[in-house]
Amino acid sequence: AVQTGRTWTELQDLSGDLDGKDVLIRGRADTVRKVGGRVFLLIRRSFCKVQALAQANDVTPKQLVKYCEKIKPESIIDVVGTVKIVKDKIATATPPKLQLIEIIVKKIYVVAGVEANELPFQIDDASRPEQDQKSDDSNKPKFAVVGQKLRLDNRFIDLRTVANHAIFRIQAGVSRLFREYLTSQQFVEIHSPKLISAASEGGANVFKLEYFGKDAFLAQSPQLYKQMGICSDLFRVFEVGPVFRAEDSNTHRHLCEFTGLDLEMEFKE
């Protein structure tokens, strides 16, 4: 592998303080819009969106502007450009500090282009709250509705929405705080088996499968292994891991698999 030594600037680090300076950024082409002889690109990276402007001048040839026109939304692009403070806020940019600047394009590269003529759904439609989809006429949605099946069939696109990014970051934060606090209280993190030879809690709510010609079960709980840890003089143990419950349900929203935050500790009195 070859390292170029180029300096990258993350979108969240952009601000008016960089006015007049050249930066190298990477992101997805959220939207591509041609207005006259100019092309506006809204570049997205996770929670951040910043506007880039391509127009012919002394440092930007017409061919580059025409190239920008053909970039398809959701393509991953690299942009070399100059940060410029704008007079009017750019409403589509986010967070607020990125509404005050735009990137004047000098060079642009498509790192990973979108080959399909059309995406199965638009990120804007998938990002819209359900209440915003409804119109005054309850029989007709105000905007395009992205159903659950379509989302799951194209999960890698659905996960690009801000709400889904937030869910994963909240999950990560909860797990991190759980680990940090228990570790500070002298707990030891363990990793227990999830394929076991008998149901961990008894009852019928257990998944059974074949394991090299024998019956095996998915763990309903790490309870036995936590207790073994206490008996082994680990004294305080915890685990963050998957839990499986074969709970049949008539609804399409039930928990057959979830991430459990488990702990066990000895007590003296």
Side-chain angles (χ1 to χ4, degrees):
V2 176
Q3 297 225 347
T4 63
R6 294 178 295 174
T7 300
W8 298 82
T9 301
E10 291 295 332
L11 264 59
Q12 67 261 28
D13 296 329
L14 293 171
S15 69
D17 295 337
L18 296 173
D19 184 34
K21 295 183 179 179
D22 287 354
V23 294
L24 169 61
I25 61 174
R26 172 172 290 180
R28 288 193 182 274
D30 190 80
T31 57
V32 180
R33 185 167 51 94
K34 180 185 177 184
V35 180
R38 301 181 296 175
V39 176
F40 294 91
L41 302 103
L42 191 63
I43 301 172
R44 186 185 79 244
R45 189 168 175 86
S46 191
F47 290 103
C48 298
K49 293 181 183 180
V50 67
Q51 179 172 286
L53 170 62
Q55 61 181 349
N57 53 37
D58 293 341
V59 295
T60 306
K62 289 183 179 179
Q63 291 84 348
L64 185 144
V65 179
K66 290 183 178 180
Y67 179 79
C68 290
E69 292 177 24
K70 299 178 182 178
I71 295 175
K72 294 180 181 179
E74 294 305 300
S75 299
I76 297 176
I77 58 176
D78 288 350
V79 174
V80 176
T82 307
V83 178
K84 178 185 176 183
I85 296 177
V86 295
K87 294 180 180 179
D88 300 319
K89 287 186 177 180
I90 300 170
T92 52
T94 183
K97 69 174 183 175
L98 296 186
Q99 296 178 349
L100 305 175
I101 64 170
E102 66 180 357
I103 309 298
I104 307 301
V105 178
K106 288 185 174 181
K107 299 178 182 179
I108 191 165
Y109 307 90
V110 174
V111 179
V114 173
E115 295 184 1
N117 289 327
E118 289 187 14
L119 293 171
F121 54 84
Q122 298 300 315
I123 300 296
D124 284 347
D125 292 332
S127 302
R128 195 173 287 114
E130 288 185 11
Q131 60 268 25
D132 290 352
Q133 295 175 351
K134 299 176 182 177
S135 63
D136 296 335
D137 183 353
S138 59
N139 295 322
K140 295 181 180 179
K142 188 177 180 181
F143 299 103
V145 177
V146 184
Q148 187 182 57
K149 184 179 185 305
L150 186 58
R151 289 176 183 268
L152 295 179
D153 287 344
N154 302 275
R155 186 61 167 159
F156 68 99
I157 299 177
D158 182 44
L159 289 178
R160 296 176 192 172
T161 63
V162 171
N164 278 321
H165 272 238
I167 289 170
F168 277 89
R169 289 170 189 264
I170 290 170
Q171 287 180 336
V174 170
S175 298
R176 183 176 65 252
L177 290 173
F178 185 76
R179 286 187 169 98
E180 287 176 354
Y181 178 74
L182 291 183
T183 300
S184 74
Q185 300 300 309
Q186 288 74 55
F187 279 75
V188 177
E189 182 173 9
I190 62 172
H191 304 281
S192 63
K194 302 306 170 198
L195 282 171
I196 55 181
S197 60
S200 51
E201 291 188 349
N205 297 334
V206 59
F207 287 108
K208 182 180 177 181
L209 61 146
E210 183 181 347
Y211 184 77
F212 296 111
K214 297 181 180 180
D215 288 340
F217 304 88
L218 294 180
Q220 297 160 288
S221 164
Q223 186 63 32
L224 173 64
Y225 301 100
K226 292 188 299 178
Q227 292 172 339
M228 287 174 64
I230 303 304
C231 294
S232 303
D233 295 341
L234 290 175
F235 306 129
R236 295 183 174 195
V237 297
F238 75 93
E239 179 170 6
V240 178
V243 177
F244 302 92
R245 301 287 174 92
E247 297 178 358
D248 196 8
S249 173
N250 292 325
T251 73
H252 64 285
R253 295 180 182 274
H254 55 285
L255 295 176
C256 286
E257 178 183 359
F258 60 91
T259 301
L261 307 180
D262 289 280
L263 65 93
E264 192 86 16
M265 61 184 288
E266 72 160 3
F267 57 89
K268 296 184 174 68
E269 296 183 42

PDB file of all heavy atoms in Angstrom, residues 172-183:
ATOM      1  N   ALA A 172     -23.902   2.351  21.375  1.00  0.00           N
ATOM      2  CA  ALA A 172     -22.477   2.316  21.701  1.00  0.00           C
ATOM      3  C   ALA A 172     -22.208   3.067  23.005  1.00  0.00           C
ATOM      4  O   ALA A 172     -21.407   2.626  23.839  1.00  0.00           O
ATOM      5  CB  ALA A 172     -21.660   2.929  20.561  1.00  0.00           C
ATOM      6  N   GLY A 173     -22.900   4.204  23.181  1.00  0.00           N
ATOM      7  CA  GLY A 173     -22.709   4.998  24.402  1.00  0.00           C
ATOM      8  C   GLY A 173     -23.190   4.264  25.640  1.00  0.00           C
ATOM      9  O   GLY A 173     -22.529   4.282  26.694  1.00  0.00           O
ATOM     10  N   VAL A 174     -24.344   3.594  25.534  1.00  0.00           N
ATOM     11  CA  VAL A 174     -24.869   2.831  26.678  1.00  0.00           C
ATOM     12  C   VAL A 174     -23.898   1.712  27.054  1.00  0.00           C
ATOM     13  O   VAL A 174     -23.571   1.519  28.234  1.00  0.00           O
ATOM     14  CB  VAL A 174     -26.264   2.254  26.341  1.00  0.00           C
ATOM     15  CG1 VAL A 174     -26.705   1.254  27.407  1.00  0.00           C
ATOM     16  CG2 VAL A 174     -27.290   3.375  26.230  1.00  0.00           C
ATOM     17  N   SER A 175     -23.426   0.967  26.056  1.00  0.00           N
ATOM     18  CA  SER A 175     -22.482  -0.127  26.326  1.00  0.00           C
ATOM     19  C   SER A 175     -21.187   0.396  26.928  1.00  0.00           C
ATOM     20  O   SER A 175     -20.621  -0.204  27.854  1.00  0.00           O
ATOM     21  CB  SER A 175     -22.176  -0.895  25.032  1.00  0.00           C
ATOM     22  OG  SER A 175     -23.343  -1.489  24.525  1.00  0.00           O
ATOM     23  N   ARG A 176     -20.701   1.528  26.406  1.00  0.00           N
ATOM     24  CA  ARG A 176     -19.450   2.093  26.904  1.00  0.00           C
ATOM     25  C   ARG A 176     -19.577   2.524  28.364  1.00  0.00           C
ATOM     26  O   ARG A 176     -18.706   2.231  29.197  1.00  0.00           O
ATOM     27  CB  ARG A 176     -19.033   3.278  26.041  1.00  0.00           C
ATOM     28  CG  ARG A 176     -17.686   3.886  26.450  1.00  0.00           C
ATOM     29  CD  ARG A 176     -17.256   4.988  25.509  1.00  0.00           C
ATOM     30  NE  ARG A 176     -18.160   6.133  25.555  1.00  0.00           N
ATOM     31  CZ  ARG A 176     -19.008   6.465  24.584  1.00  0.00           C
ATOM     32  NH1 ARG A 176     -19.087   5.723  23.490  1.00  0.00           N
ATOM     33  NH2 ARG A 176     -19.782   7.522  24.697  1.00  0.00           N
ATOM     34  N   LEU A 177     -20.678   3.198  28.691  1.00  0.00           N
ATOM     35  CA  LEU A 177     -20.881   3.649  30.076  1.00  0.00           C
ATOM     36  C   LEU A 177     -21.040   2.462  31.018  1.00  0.00           C
ATOM     37  O   LEU A 177     -20.556   2.482  32.153  1.00  0.00           O
ATOM     38  CB  LEU A 177     -22.101   4.565  30.151  1.00  0.00           C
ATOM     39  CG  LEU A 177     -21.936   5.934  29.502  1.00  0.00           C
ATOM     40  CD1 LEU A 177     -23.268   6.681  29.489  1.00  0.00           C
ATOM     41  CD2 LEU A 177     -20.887   6.758  30.230  1.00  0.00           C
ATOM     42  N   PHE A 178     -21.760   1.433  30.569  1.00  0.00           N
ATOM     43  CA  PHE A 178     -21.936   0.213  31.363  1.00  0.00           C
ATOM     44  C   PHE A 178     -20.578  -0.406  31.676  1.00  0.00           C
ATOM     45  O   PHE A 178     -20.277  -0.743  32.831  1.00  0.00           O
ATOM     46  CB  PHE A 178     -22.813  -0.759  30.566  1.00  0.00           C
ATOM     47  CG  PHE A 178     -23.184  -2.021  31.291  1.00  0.00           C
ATOM     48  CD1 PHE A 178     -24.153  -2.021  32.289  1.00  0.00           C
ATOM     49  CD2 PHE A 178     -22.589  -3.231  30.949  1.00  0.00           C
ATOM     50  CE1 PHE A 178     -24.504  -3.200  32.939  1.00  0.00           C
ATOM     51  CE2 PHE A 178     -22.938  -4.405  31.588  1.00  0.00           C
ATOM     52  CZ  PHE A 178     -23.897  -4.395  32.595  1.00  0.00           C
ATOM     53  N   ARG A 179     -19.740  -0.542  30.649  1.00  0.00           N
ATOM     54  CA  ARG A 179     -18.412  -1.128  30.843  1.00  0.00           C
ATOM     55  C   ARG A 179     -17.525  -0.249  31.738  1.00  0.00           C
ATOM     56  O   ARG A 179     -16.844  -0.737  32.645  1.00  0.00           O
ATOM     57  CB  ARG A 179     -17.723  -1.328  29.490  1.00  0.00           C
ATOM     58  CG  ARG A 179     -18.254  -2.482  28.669  1.00  0.00           C
ATOM     59  CD  ARG A 179     -17.397  -2.690  27.423  1.00  0.00           C
ATOM     60  NE  ARG A 179     -17.709  -3.940  26.759  1.00  0.00           N
ATOM     61  CZ  ARG A 179     -18.510  -4.051  25.723  1.00  0.00           C
ATOM     62  NH1 ARG A 179     -19.083  -2.972  25.219  1.00  0.00           N
ATOM     63  NH2 ARG A 179     -18.749  -5.225  25.163  1.00  0.00           N
ATOM     64  N   GLU A 180     -17.531   1.058  31.444  1.00  0.00           N
ATOM     65  CA  GLU A 180     -16.652   1.964  32.193  1.00  0.00           C
ATOM     66  C   GLU A 180     -17.000   1.966  33.680  1.00  0.00           C
ATOM     67  O   GLU A 180     -16.108   1.909  34.536  1.00  0.00           O
ATOM     68  CB  GLU A 180     -16.753   3.383  31.625  1.00  0.00           C
ATOM     69  CG  GLU A 180     -16.059   3.563  30.281  1.00  0.00           C
ATOM     70  CD  GLU A 180     -16.256   4.962  29.713  1.00  0.00           C
ATOM     71  OE1 GLU A 180     -17.033   5.744  30.322  1.00  0.00           O
ATOM     72  OE2 GLU A 180     -15.654   5.266  28.670  1.00  0.00           O
ATOM     73  N   TYR A 181     -18.296   2.039  33.994  1.00  0.00           N
ATOM     74  CA  TYR A 181     -18.677   2.115  35.404  1.00  0.00           C
ATOM     75  C   TYR A 181     -18.366   0.807  36.137  1.00  0.00           C
ATOM     76  O   TYR A 181     -17.754   0.820  37.215  1.00  0.00           O
ATOM     77  CB  TYR A 181     -20.162   2.443  35.563  1.00  0.00           C
ATOM     78  CG  TYR A 181     -20.563   2.469  37.016  1.00  0.00           C
ATOM     79  CD1 TYR A 181     -20.188   3.531  37.841  1.00  0.00           C
ATOM     80  CD2 TYR A 181     -21.263   1.411  37.584  1.00  0.00           C
ATOM     81  CE1 TYR A 181     -20.510   3.552  39.189  1.00  0.00           C
ATOM     82  CE2 TYR A 181     -21.596   1.420  38.927  1.00  0.00           C
ATOM     83  CZ  TYR A 181     -21.221   2.489  39.727  1.00  0.00           C
ATOM     84  OH  TYR A 181     -21.539   2.493  41.066  1.00  0.00           O
ATOM     85  N   LEU A 182     -18.753  -0.328  35.545  1.00  0.00           N
ATOM     86  CA  LEU A 182     -18.519  -1.600  36.235  1.00  0.00           C
ATOM     87  C   LEU A 182     -17.028  -1.900  36.351  1.00  0.00           C
ATOM     88  O   LEU A 182     -16.574  -2.438  37.367  1.00  0.00           O
ATOM     89  CB  LEU A 182     -19.240  -2.738  35.504  1.00  0.00           C
ATOM     90  CG  LEU A 182     -20.770  -2.687  35.577  1.00  0.00           C
ATOM     91  CD1 LEU A 182     -21.377  -3.906  34.889  1.00  0.00           C
ATOM     92  CD2 LEU A 182     -21.264  -2.619  37.022  1.00  0.00           C
ATOM     93  N   THR A 183     -16.258  -1.539  35.338  1.00  0.00           N
ATOM     94  CA  THR A 183     -14.803  -1.729  35.432  1.00  0.00           C
ATOM     95  C   THR A 183     -14.224  -0.894  36.566  1.00  0.00           C
ATOM     96  O   THR A 183     -13.322  -1.342  37.294  1.00  0.00           O
ATOM     97  CB  THR A 183     -14.130  -1.354  34.095  1.00  0.00           C
ATOM     98  OG1 THR A 183     -14.647  -2.184  33.054  1.00  0.00           O
ATOM     99  CG2 THR A 183     -12.622  -1.539  34.179  1.00  0.00           C
TER     100      THR A 183
END
